[in-house]
Amino acid sequence: MYGYSVFSILRNGLSGQKHWPLAWRAPSPKSNYDVVIVGGGGHGLATAFYLAENHGIRNIAVVEKGYIGGGNVGRNTTIVRSNYLLDGNTHFYEFSLKLWENLSRTLNYNVMFSQRGQLVAAHSPDQLDGFSHRANVMRLNGIDAEVLDRDEVRRMAPYFDYSETARFPIYGAHWQSRAGTARHDAVAWGYARAADAHGVDIIQNCEVTGFIRQGERIVGVETTRGKIGAGRVGLAVAGHTSTLGRKAGLELPIESHILQAFVTEPIKPLVHQTVAYGADHFYVSQSDKGGLVFGGALDGYNSYAQRGNLGIVRDVAEAAVALMPCISRLRILRHWGGVMDMTPDASPIMCPTPIDGLYLNGGWCYGGFKATPASGWCFAHTLATGAPHPLIAAYGLDRFRTGRTIDEAGIGPFAWLQ
Amino acid sequence: MRRLNKLGRIDRSQPIAFTFDGKTMTGFRGDSLASAMLANDVTIVGRSFKYHRPRGIYSAGPEEPNALVTIGTGGRREPNLPATTVELADGLVAESQNRWPSLKFDVQSINSWFSPFLAAGFYYKTFMGPTRRSWMFYEHFIRKAAGLGRAGQEPDPDRYEVRHLFADVAVVGAGPAGLAAALAAAEAGAKVVLVEQDFLAGGYLLSEPSAGQAGAWLAGMLARLADMPNVSLMTRTIAFGAYDGNVLGLLERHNSSSVDPRQGEARQTLGLLRAKSIVYCTGSIERPLTFANNDRPGIMLASAARTYLNRYGVLAGKRVLVAADNDSAYSAAIDLAAAGAQVTIADSRAQPGPQLLEQARRGGIAVRATSMIAKAIGGHNVRAVVLIEPRGKTTLECDLIGVSGGWSPTVHLTSHLGIKPVYREDIRAFVPGKLGAGQFVAGAVTGSFTTEAAVDDGHRAGNEAFAFCDAARSSQAQVKFDLPKINAKLGVIGDDGNSGLRPKPPLSPAFSTQTNEGVGGKMNLAKGKAFVDLQMDVTVSDIALAHQEGYQSVEHLKRYTTLGMGTDQGKTSNFYALSAMAGLRGMAIPDVGTTTFRPPFTPVAVGALAGLSHGHHYKPFRRTPMHDWHVSNDAEMLETGLWMRPWFYHASSRDVNEAYVAEMRNVREAAGLMDISTLGKIAVQGPDAAEFLDRVYVNGFAKLPVGRARYGVMLRDDGIVFDDGTTTRVGDQHFFMTTSTARAADVMSRLEFLLDTAWPDLRVSVSSVSDEWAAMSVAGPKSRDILAAAFPDLDVSNDALPHMGLLEGRYRDRPLRIIRLSFSGERAYEIYAGASVGKEAWCRLIDAGTPFGLKPYGIEALGALRVEKGHVAGPEIDGRTTLDDLGLRRMAGKSSGFVGEVLGRRQAFSDPERPRLVGLRCVEDGRRLRGGAILFRPNEPVQGHGLGRITSTTYSPTLDAWVGLGLLATSAAQEGAEFIAHYPLKGEAVRARVVSPTFLDPKGDWFHG
Amino acid sequence: MLQIKCPCCGPRDHDEFRYAGDASVGRPAHTDADFERWYRYVFVRENPAGAHREYWQHVMGCRQWLIVERNTVNHTILSVNFSRGTPA
């Protein structure tokens, strides 16, 4: 791999940039791979990278129907955190955060992971108690967490509404200092480049149209660029898991829903942390380019359209102004939507499937970005060994039958409300 | 001064004073900020995003990439506004951006020196060391350098409104096509809303000489539309987004005459326009040309130079070079020459048409064929231009360069619903794809660039749009009307004989000429930066680098180089980037694809989208009928699930922890009064009401006698506890259900769901009566005495009103229900009175009860009392617990067929490690329990999730101990076992013993009898 | 904004309604004790990219539960009926 460093920047700067090679090749599909990963998003590419890096498997293809990183890894609000309450989630997301902390150096690609901390405002004493419970659990599991009082919040986030007339007064906040944001596209590209350097074939514009079976076993995929044989097939197509799962014969507890995201015009630094609102669905951070990036609740009905409705745009704007009155005059530059796999407990599904040869990584709901490194790591383990990695033991498909669901919000099997 | 004494649609009798960077200047009514700045010889308006290069005014419309300014001060400060879209107003304060210490001398322009190392994506390749947190160090400086304007930190002092509009036909854009479409639809009888982003209607016609025929046609059309009551023309209104359901998002600006809105006036109005059909007449945007230093002040779109001249009476330069690859720029050249400029045209085509040449010659314009710009010379303003021609390079002096690389239809809105634009080779441009039902396009957006065609097209589309929304009337009407003719002498006559407001671009995709196409390596003909995206500082070589590194899909190109990510959304850069990538990849443009256009078309203020929903209009909270009493009696109010409820009363103490204990003690010793009006209340009526309740509750209701109440628990279909409450049988076929405050709406909707979708055969009706009843609970040993004193007509003796009994009466001519229920463990009564007399009933109880020691209590004490009694509530019914978890399985008894029964027996629910409800009692003197503490065995390592947690706690004045409820692993939850409650946030570890959750009066003697 | 033509109240914005997901899954009888049927009813979803039968309740209007057939790709609404009286 042609190394990225300040020296290579200088060398290319002085020579008209002529030495930079392709970040990844554009190979034609071979007839057979040890592992075929369907979906060139963050999770699929990370899986390919860790299969090669951790398990020494090199004969891998990632097949992507469009361009890599075009799904949710390139559409989210880039927040990375590990403030999960329930056993089954806590250690997985913390492991992910630890991988994030070294990711740029692992990949030799600056994913700009910026640990600016996450502040979740509390608007009632009860809510603050709930945050304390969460923080206790995090600390007991070796994860940094604090609960701040109103004055501490005010020092950190002077732009909240602390006035007497504030609609939702600030009682305090949950704070995780190691949380932060990353440059989302760079995550996909960084994994792609590093996987490619290990010999992984990244095949874009190649849509999987069906599965090749030998008896009960899946032994490859049919694509718009021909048949590709595979020792094992991993699905990592969150947002469209149902569509592909159906082709393989899987029955899934997944619905597709739209989550919108927003960015304002670029401004000089204003919001230094990632911030979430306790009274409503609203979260915001400021990108390195200067735009405030924010999001809110799901659109609320099944959808495969990568765009959202105006009602949620207004809801999010209302919450934004209520929490941060000074952003009223800032202008929204773009808003867009991503298609989420929503599960009945808002936790992911990652496991071998009942179909021999087929492995599933999906159901990421609105939390897939932060999970990318750990998801790739654990899914690679699962594909390599045929058995789930211990960190994802709780993410099996059978948990809805057994009742071992991991419902952080306690909302229940109503995907559109999760 | 560049302002002429003639020409334009400005009112020279109305001067307007404004400031730019502190310097006072004067413009006229009818000016944009950009035109007024140009007239005042302002050439540099700001500094660019990355290299801090000086930038001027590039366009005359919303496509402006360069001239971004901050308007206003204090809370009204608004960064990044294109000066081209700001209507000049008295006292307007404008400020340049992204420069320090001054616009003319900007320290960070040193970035240009380092530009070889700042190529596209350079930041992905460095800043990774020496340690893993190094990025945080570099990022600090990068963030400071990024961003354009600075936002204010003060709250926005202005207000916004929301307007709901309905139309048969909505027309977007009041250019020639839009005006014709609106008139056609309106003449046919449609209710028409015509929206125009500019403060004047007319579109491109405004850039024509106002004294000419275009002006007359426009005036005629506007007069005609103004006379029609069914037409609403909204200027200063941008249709920023197209949404599902034929909804257009509109933003209407109001500050037309003054900088700040007048008292009480909204600054902007968000419009939600629901139209039966929509005609998009969004026009087109001129494309720039790329050459070295093509960003210098003094370089602008040719059409913009023409607009400044004809609309604003500003001659932007005296020695003008117009560079073009098409006919349309000749109009600009001819008008500029006529106004006195010395004009040269550099036409990249080998043979411009003879008629064009003849017109240019008559205008005194030198035309240089096969001539392309290699480079512009000049720093703060262009001074000269280097042309490349077959005979070699020529340098010409000039102070203005007008560029035209053809036109791109404005396909943004028509793409918002996911309809990809399609490429037309004949005009080398993208036009709207096949739109959904009820959506039409007309005019330049379709790729027909002449005025005549636009008018005809608009007329057709207006008729079609009307036919779509009113087929019946449209077929009768067969609308015919005289559309004012606009004849072919307008503007420049192209060689194809069309009237040439916007002549067709050349047909040949001329890669060899200077157009929007580039060939790898040859896209830039001279040394120096050639910009594609002026706002994001993306150059031709950045695109080449992206290609070289494999970022070749359009989206990769965009994301890697940041092309098109600016506030202008790449309105002028998009097409060039696509065609350049097509050239580099050796593909046809449509095969490279197109980026997705996202709303909003131009940026929209967050506050405008929020509209009126801010402050106490945002999620307005709810008040009970007794609200005013609580407030005037010094209750500390707390919002719970949108309800304002008394948290505690200051009469008890100023401190919540002292107050709730005092209030509890008073309940246990005398009596307390609590406002419980927030409970959900549902009337369940009908012959099958009992059967229905048997199905929705886990416990049976069919055998409940009339006049008796029962506590009930409901599950979700997945077997998790959903809600609890009491239901009272007030008649044989009439039940009165109460739900928790938090779940009131969900329970109601769920009941309706079951009746409408699952069991339509059940003869049951449910209706919410939550708002009909005020409800209060009087609890404590003196409660019966107080009730008797307050309602002397009623027999409230134990025989007449036993535990779980109902007593009905009347109060102030309205029904009164007294249900004897207890969650505190005390003898207690819930009193339901008509909502309108609730406060009176409350006061009556207070008056009657005061001699007995009755005092009000708040929700903190309420929560504490129920903990002492071991009743589960919100912290335990958290959406994850089952009947077994909460110790409620016995309620299900032998009944079957209730909601959630089957999945409520899933395997994991009987796991011995699954936590279930326990009581906990603190066994350390002087220490307390806290909710949210995690439970570990005494000698167990303190890590992980523990064996359980404390959910609710209270100090019990009766027991003089801290007690709590918790969820603890079944296998460990033996009464008497000791656990350590760890609370790492406070570094606490407190010993607690497992006890029965019913801390007081286990046999219930207090509330019976 | 989706516009749902409520058969009782006329065309209204979707934010007047409460959504409740897939209406094509048949609810087992309340006395049905079959685990598999309940599991599938509560959890398994077809989740089509295309026509989708779904429940909406007009909570801010007539409060009727409706069955709406809607395309999940382009959000076109194909039909709206009262749930009562509409065969599953």
Side-chain angles (χ1 to χ4, degrees):
Chain A
M1 184 161 75
Y2 185 90
Y4 289 164
S5 69
V6 67
F7 305 107
S8 61
I9 296 248
L10 288 173
R11 176 170 178 239
N12 277 279
L14 297 172
S15 66
Q17 316 290 345
K18 67 180 181 207
H19 298 292
W20 299 119
L22 284 174
W24 54 84
R25 298 163 294 125
S28 294
K30 294 192 283 186
S31 61
N32 238 301
Y33 291 92
D34 293 342
V35 180
V36 167
I37 295 158
V38 184
H43 291 243
L45 293 165
T47 303
F49 170 71
Y50 291 115
L51 268 171
E53 177 91 356
N54 295 354
H55 303 279
I57 299 173
R58 302 292 166 100
N59 187 26
I60 302 168
V62 177
V63 294
E64 164 56 48
K65 77 171 170 185
Y67 56 94
I68 60 166
N72 293 332
V73 70
R75 292 168 186 275
N76 65 87
T77 52
T78 82
I79 295 171
V80 174
R81 58 185 168 87
S82 64
N83 55 348
Y84 283 76
L85 182 66
L86 301 181
D87 201 2
N89 278 336
T90 315
H91 291 281
F92 173 79
Y93 286 102
E94 174 60 12
F95 178 66
S96 203
L97 184 53
K98 290 206 169 93
L99 291 177
W100 275 108
E101 287 174 323
N102 278 308
L103 194 57
S104 292
R105 282 144 67 89
T106 305
L107 301 178
N108 181 233
Y109 201 103
N110 188 355
V111 301
M112 302 180 203
F113 180 49
S114 172
Q115 293 179 285
R116 280 176 283 135
Q118 193 200 29
L119 191 75
V120 187
H123 306 281
S124 71
D126 277 358
Q127 195 163 34
L128 205 55
D129 285 351
F131 288 172
S132 300
H133 172 217
R134 179 182 300 266
N136 283 335
V137 168
M138 289 168 67
R139 287 214 186 167
L140 287 168
N141 285 281
I143 305 165
D144 72 300
E146 283 171 67
V147 168
L148 310 179
D149 66 23
R150 181 179 159 98
D151 290 338
E152 290 169 310
V153 177
R154 189 169 196 157
R155 276 196 292 280
M156 215 177 251
Y159 40 77
F160 284 169
D161 188 353
Y162 299 95
S163 67
E164 283 293 307
T165 55
R167 175 63 190 88
F168 290 103
I170 309 277
Y171 280 79
H174 177 91
W175 170 247
Q176 186 185 16
S177 66
R178 286 163 61 245
T181 58
R183 171 82 187 106
H184 56 7
D185 292 324
V187 177
W189 300 338
Y191 273 118
R193 174 168 162 271
D196 177 87
H198 281 312
V200 173
D201 281 356
I202 295 166
I203 303 160
Q204 303 187 77
N205 299 307
C206 179
E207 183 173 358
V208 169
T209 53
F211 293 86
I212 308 168
R213 284 165 195 277
Q214 208 167 69
E216 295 295 293
R217 186 180 167 81
I218 282 183
V219 294
V221 290
E222 288 164 13
T223 78
T224 49
R225 296 177 67 175
K227 292 187 175 186
I228 305 176
R232 283 175 176 160
V233 175
L235 286 187
V237 293
H240 296 81
T241 303
S242 299
T243 312
L244 269 171
R246 190 155 46 243
K247 286 180 179 151
L250 283 179
E251 285 190 328
L252 295 169
I254 289 175
E255 295 184 13
S256 295
H257 286 267
I258 295 297
L259 186 66
Q260 299 195 54
F262 307 79
V263 63
T264 69
E265 57 197 327
I267 49 162
K268 294 296 177 192
L270 175 74
V271 178
H272 302 287
Q273 309 81 16
T274 76
V275 169
Y277 198 14
D280 205 345
H281 286 285
F282 175 72
Y283 38 91
V284 59
S285 66
Q286 186 166 13
S287 77
D288 287 337
K289 257 193 339 232
L292 299 188
V293 181
F294 52 91
L298 294 176
D299 267 19
Y301 45 82
N302 292 49
S303 173
Y304 282 91
Q306 284 183 327
R307 60 189 160 83
N309 71 52
L310 187 55
I312 295 290
V313 176
R314 294 179 64 202
D315 289 352
V316 168
E318 289 165 8
V321 172
L323 185 67
M324 300 170 59
C326 67
I327 76 167
S328 169
R329 274 181 120 82
L330 273 185
R331 294 173 308 150
I332 289 175
L333 204 55
R334 277 192 308 280
H335 68 88
W336 63 93
V339 184
M340 313 285 122
D341 271 5
M342 294 304 299
T343 62
D345 60 356
S347 288
I349 299 170
M350 206 178 349
C351 56
T353 69
I355 301 168
D356 212 12
L358 184 68
Y359 296 77
L360 177 61
N361 174 349
W364 286 100
C365 302
Y366 33 73
F369 181 68
K370 68 177 99 63
T372 305
S375 168
W377 182 288
C378 297
F379 197 45
H381 174 100
T382 309
L383 278 163
T385 64
H389 187 283
L391 281 172
I392 59 166
Y395 293 154
L397 193 49
D398 63 345
R399 69 179 187 270
F400 304 100
R401 282 181 186 281
T402 62
R404 290 183 203 282
T405 49
I406 315 165
D407 191 347
E408 290 267 336
I411 284 165
F414 312 102
W416 58 95
L417 297 176
Q418 279 282 5
Chain B
M1 284 290 277
R2 299 171 191 222
R3 182 85 74 183
L4 306 176
N5 293 325
K6 51 177 184 163
L7 292 181
R9 294 169 178 275
I10 49 169
D11 183 349
R12 289 180 173 77
S13 68
Q14 290 197 60
I16 290 178
F18 68 102
T19 68
F20 175 63
D21 277 350
K23 197 175 157 198
T24 303
M25 300 179 179
T26 309
F28 296 112
R29 175 82 51 232
D31 259 328
S32 71
L33 175 60
S35 68
M37 287 165 83
L38 262 184
N40 282 276
D41 293 324
V42 174
T43 50
I44 310 178
V45 177
R47 289 277 172 169
S48 74
F49 187 75
K50 186 166 163 188
Y51 301 119
H52 287 251
R53 287 165 68 104
R55 293 284 167 81
I57 293 163
Y58 196 76
S59 75
E63 67 270 31
E64 177 62 37
N66 274 346
L68 304 185
V69 293
T70 297
I71 303 285
T73 54
R76 292 204 161 91
R77 200 182 158 80
E78 198 174 10
N80 303 336
L81 283 169
T84 51
T85 62
V86 175
E87 189 174 351
L88 197 65
D90 258 318
L92 186 143
V93 177
E95 209 180 281
S96 60
Q97 303 185 155
N98 211 33
R99 80 289 184 269
W100 186 86
S102 78
L103 193 52
K104 290 254 161 67
F105 177 77
D106 175 26
V107 167
Q108 277 191 293
S109 57
I110 197 168
N111 285 5
S112 273
W113 291 75
F114 295 110
S115 63
F117 312 111
L118 306 182
F122 79 96
Y123 31 74
Y124 297 126
K125 298 168 181 165
T126 184
F127 303 130
M128 287 180 273
T131 74
R132 67 179 169 83
R133 283 185 73 91
S134 298
W135 169 246
M136 297 293 294
F137 171 79
Y138 303 116
E139 189 192 36
H140 176 75
F141 300 98
I142 289 171
R143 286 171 78 83
K144 275 198 164 166
L148 285 166
R150 186 169 53 79
Q153 290 235 9
E154 296 164 48
D156 186 346
D158 292 331
R159 51 190 293 276
Y160 302 84
E161 286 183 353
V162 178
R163 198 174 154 187
H164 294 268
L165 301 103
F166 298 86
D168 295 324
V169 178
V171 181
V172 182
L179 291 167
L183 187 62
E187 290 277 0
K191 182 173 185 270
V192 176
V193 173
L194 170 59
V195 297
E196 169 55 50
Q197 63 189 359
D198 204 322
F199 53 90
L200 294 178
Y204 194 75
L205 296 177
L206 297 171
S207 300
E208 293 287 319
S210 56
Q213 204 218 352
W217 187 87
L218 175 58
M221 286 293 281
L222 290 175
R224 200 151 160 186
L225 289 167
D227 280 344
M228 304 184 78
N230 54 332
V231 176
S232 161
L233 168 60
M234 301 172 70
T235 53
R236 299 187 179 88
T237 303
I238 182 97
F240 63 79
Y243 297 92
D244 286 312
N246 267 9
V247 173
L248 288 173
L250 308 181
L251 186 72
E252 201 180 346
R253 307 183 300 276
H254 297 301
N255 53 346
S256 51
S257 53
S258 66
V259 175
D260 304 324
R262 281 185 291 268
Q263 187 66 35
E265 207 174 58
R267 182 171 89 105
Q268 296 174 345
T269 298
L270 177 73
L272 302 170
L273 173 54
R274 295 161 183 85
K276 290 178 188 154
S277 54
I278 301 174
V279 187
Y280 295 100
C281 306
T282 48
S284 57
I285 293 171
E286 196 166 32
R287 297 173 191 158
L289 295 174
T290 49
F291 48 86
N293 298 332
N294 62 340
D295 63 323
R296 291 302 188 205
I299 299 174
M300 65 171 64
L301 296 172
S303 61
R306 188 171 187 239
T307 301
Y308 287 115
L309 176 67
N310 287 331
R311 179 169 173 184
Y312 301 108
V314 176
L315 185 57
K318 296 205 168 73
R319 306 183 66 176
V320 183
L321 180 90
V322 172
D325 68 349
N326 62 74
D327 294 2
S328 75
Y330 282 67
S331 316
I334 289 167
D335 288 356
L336 290 164
Q342 182 193 325
V343 181
T344 304
I345 295 177
D347 194 325
S348 62
R349 296 171 294 183
Q351 288 182 316
Q355 288 190 48
L356 274 180
L357 292 173
E358 173 57 19
Q359 287 203 33
R361 192 194 58 76
R362 271 194 269 127
I365 296 165
V367 177
R368 306 174 75 103
T370 328
S371 179
M372 288 171 274
I373 304 181
K375 181 177 190 172
I377 298 170
H380 287 184
N381 197 71
V382 62
R383 288 197 320 270
V385 62
V386 179
L387 298 174
I388 285 195
E389 293 169 349
R391 280 160 300 175
K393 286 189 182 176
T394 313
T395 304
L396 283 184
E397 287 190 8
C398 62
D399 59 0
L400 177 71
I401 301 177
V403 295
S404 178
W407 295 80
S408 288
T410 313
V411 296
H412 302 68
L413 277 179
T414 53
S415 308
H416 283 175
L417 289 177
I419 312 288
K420 289 266 180 205
V422 294
Y423 188 71
R424 259 178 61 190
E425 186 60 43
D426 59 334
I427 57 166
R428 292 186 300 122
F430 285 93
V431 295
K434 191 177 170 345
L435 300 184
Q439 305 196 36
F440 305 88
V441 281
V445 68
T446 66
S448 57
F449 290 119
T450 70
T451 310
E452 266 188 334
V455 170
D456 290 349
D457 207 22
H459 188 221
R460 171 201 53 78
N463 275 322
E464 283 177 16
F466 178 71
F468 179 84
C469 64
D470 198 340
R473 269 158 73 203
S474 132
S475 59
Q476 297 163 11
Q478 275 302 328
V479 183
K480 278 198 183 125
F481 64 93
D482 301 325
L483 198 67
K485 279 286 177 207
I486 186 155
N487 80 23
K489 281 183 187 156
L490 200 60
V492 177
I493 307 217
D495 289 284
D496 53 6
N498 284 329
S499 68
L501 280 185
R502 298 187 190 191
K504 285 179 184 166
L507 292 172
S508 59
F511 280 97
S512 59
T513 65
Q514 178 165 30
T515 65
N516 282 297
E517 279 76 11
V519 183
K522 286 245 170 142
M523 293 185 294
N524 193 1
L525 300 166
K527 274 200 154 185
K529 288 199 180 341
F531 288 91
V532 179
D533 187 323
L534 289 156
Q535 188 173 118
M536 298 310 294
D537 271 357
V538 180
T539 64
V540 166
S541 43
D542 288 330
I543 295 180
L545 179 59
H547 175 262
Q548 177 185 329
E549 296 191 85
Y551 300 91
Q552 298 180 352
S553 102
V554 175
E555 284 289 339
H556 284 164
L557 170 66
K558 176 179 131 189
R559 289 156 184 261
Y560 191 61
T561 62
T562 72
L563 190 138
M565 305 289 244
T567 62
D568 60 341
Q569 278 207 37
K571 292 187 176 69
T572 53
S573 63
N574 220 306
F575 186 80
Y576 178 86
L578 270 181
S579 53
M581 187 51 85
L584 288 164
R585 294 178 69 181
M587 295 167 82
I589 288 177
D591 296 337
V592 176
T594 172
T595 57
T596 313
F597 294 101
R598 296 290 183 187
F601 175 65
T602 56
V604 178
V606 178
L609 290 165
L612 290 166
S613 298
H614 64 89
H616 287 263
H617 297 288
Y618 172 60
K619 293 186 185 288
F621 55 70
R622 304 178 71 183
R623 300 172 170 91
T624 73
M626 288 80 96
H627 179 88
D628 293 347
W629 190 93
H630 304 314
V631 171
S632 57
N633 284 274
D634 218 7
E636 180 75 31
M637 302 299 284
L638 191 67
E639 183 170 355
T640 60
L642 295 185
W643 283 100
M644 289 307 275
R645 304 188 72 182
W647 186 12
F648 60 96
Y649 292 84
H650 286 162
S652 313
S653 169
R654 306 299 294 183
D655 173 72
V656 58
N657 291 314
E658 288 175 13
Y660 88 82
V661 175
E663 289 173 8
M664 280 173 86
R665 197 170 264 139
N666 193 59
V667 170
R668 299 260 180 248
E669 289 169 3
L673 187 62
M674 173 80 205
D675 182 353
I676 54 167
S677 302
T678 60
L679 294 179
K681 306 169 206 79
I682 299 169
V684 182
Q685 292 162 288
D688 297 322
E691 165 70 14
F692 177 61
L693 291 175
D694 267 359
R695 296 186 193 180
V696 298
Y697 278 124
V698 304
N699 47 334
F701 279 76
K703 291 183 186 140
L704 184 69
V706 174
R708 302 291 290 182
R710 183 167 287 170
Y711 174 72
V713 174
M714 319 181 174
L715 307 183
R716 303 191 307 227
D717 283 328
D718 65 349
I720 298 290
V721 174
F722 177 36
D723 196 42
D724 65 346
T726 50
T727 287
T728 308
R729 193 164 200 165
V730 294
D732 186 41
Q733 299 183 8
H734 183 182
F735 292 81
F736 178 64
M737 173 188 282
T738 62
T739 74
S740 69
T741 299
R743 290 266 177 240
D746 292 340
V747 171
M748 179 66 197
S749 183
R750 196 68 194 160
L751 299 183
E752 289 167 321
F753 178 83
L754 290 168
L755 287 171
D756 268 5
T757 72
W759 311 320
D761 51 316
L762 289 187
R763 294 161 301 165
V764 178
S765 105
V766 289
S767 36
S768 169
V769 293
S770 294
D771 297 342
E772 274 80 337
W773 297 95
M776 55 215 88
S777 162
V778 55
K782 303 280 174 63
S783 56
R784 184 154 55 214
D785 300 337
I786 294 163
L787 210 55
F791 302 104
D793 303 346
L794 297 176
D795 179 2
V796 295
S797 67
N798 192 44
D799 292 340
L801 184 53
H803 183 60
M804 302 309 271
L806 162 75
L807 184 65
E808 287 188 284
R810 294 191 74 77
Y811 174 67
R812 304 282 290 164
D813 237 9
R814 288 166 185 80
L816 176 75
R817 285 180 187 156
I818 301 176
I819 304 168
R820 188 168 161 192
L821 289 172
S822 178
F823 286 91
S824 58
E826 298 297 331
R827 183 186 300 138
Y829 302 86
E830 290 184 354
I831 296 130
Y832 295 83
S836 58
V837 297
K839 195 174 144 195
E840 275 179 72
W842 174 275
C843 291
R844 184 159 171 167
L845 280 160
I846 288 281
D847 291 346
T850 303
F852 297 95
L854 180 72
K855 287 179 184 162
Y857 64 104
I859 54 174
E860 192 70 22
L862 176 78
L865 289 162
R866 67 100 191 163
V867 171
E868 273 191 317
K869 194 61 195 165
H871 275 296
V872 293
E876 292 81 32
I877 304 179
D878 65 356
R880 292 188 288 266
T881 44
T882 64
L883 281 180
D884 290 305
D885 297 346
L886 300 180
L888 298 172
R889 170 62 69 186
R890 63 192 149 73
M891 288 183 65
K894 292 196 192 83
S895 70
S896 67
F898 56 85
V899 170
E901 184 191 13
V902 176
L903 295 188
R905 294 186 184 280
R906 279 182 285 170
Q907 170 203 330
F909 294 171
S910 52
D911 189 319
E913 295 311 305
R914 195 173 168 92
R916 69 168 172 85
L917 187 78
V918 294
L920 291 159
R921 183 168 176 156
C922 181
V923 295
E924 288 187 70
D925 282 343
R927 307 199 67 180
R928 58 162 297 183
L929 300 182
R930 289 180 201 277
I934 314 299
L935 298 168
F936 290 87
R937 283 206 175 88
N939 296 315
E940 208 177 9
V942 183
Q943 61 184 37
H945 289 263
L947 286 168
R949 64 185 166 103
I950 303 182
T951 51
S952 321
T953 64
T954 181
Y955 170 75
S956 166
T958 312
L959 302 173
D960 186 23
W962 275 89
V963 297
L965 301 178
L967 292 163
L968 182 63
T970 310
S971 61
Q974 288 91 24
E975 279 191 25
E978 248 183 48
F979 286 84
I980 313 291
H982 284 273
Y983 200 96
L985 277 178
K986 293 188 185 293
E988 287 180 358
V990 180
R991 281 163 48 222
R993 187 183 306 135
V994 176
V995 296
S996 157
T998 312
F999 295 96
L1000 300 177
D1001 183 30
K1003 292 195 188 122
D1005 298 333
W1006 299 358
F1007 56 82
H1008 282 111
Chain C
M1 233 83 78
L2 308 182
Q3 284 215 342
I4 297 175
K5 289 198 177 74
C6 173
C8 184
C9 309
R12 300 297 178 91
D13 284 349
H14 78 267
D15 49 14
E16 289 189 8
F17 296 78
R18 174 190 279 249
Y19 182 73
D22 195 341
S24 66
V25 288
R27 186 184 178 90
H30 74 286
T31 48
D32 191 337
D34 185 84
F35 179 88
E36 195 58 27
R37 276 196 288 273
W38 279 103
Y39 166 75
R40 294 176 59 83
Y41 167 71
V42 171
F43 293 111
V44 177
R45 292 293 177 265
E46 183 76 4
N47 192 25
H52 187 234
R53 272 166 67 88
E54 56 200 23
Y55 288 119
W56 292 81
Q57 182 190 19
H58 196 187
V59 279
M60 296 188 192
C62 58
R63 293 199 68 93
Q64 295 298 306
W65 278 96
L66 309 174
I67 293 179
V68 175
E69 200 177 356
R70 181 181 60 92
N71 184 308
T72 58
V73 177
N74 61 24
H75 297 167
T76 311
I77 291 178
L78 309 165
S79 68
V80 183
N81 290 291
F82 290 122
S83 173
R84 270 179 189 268
T86 302

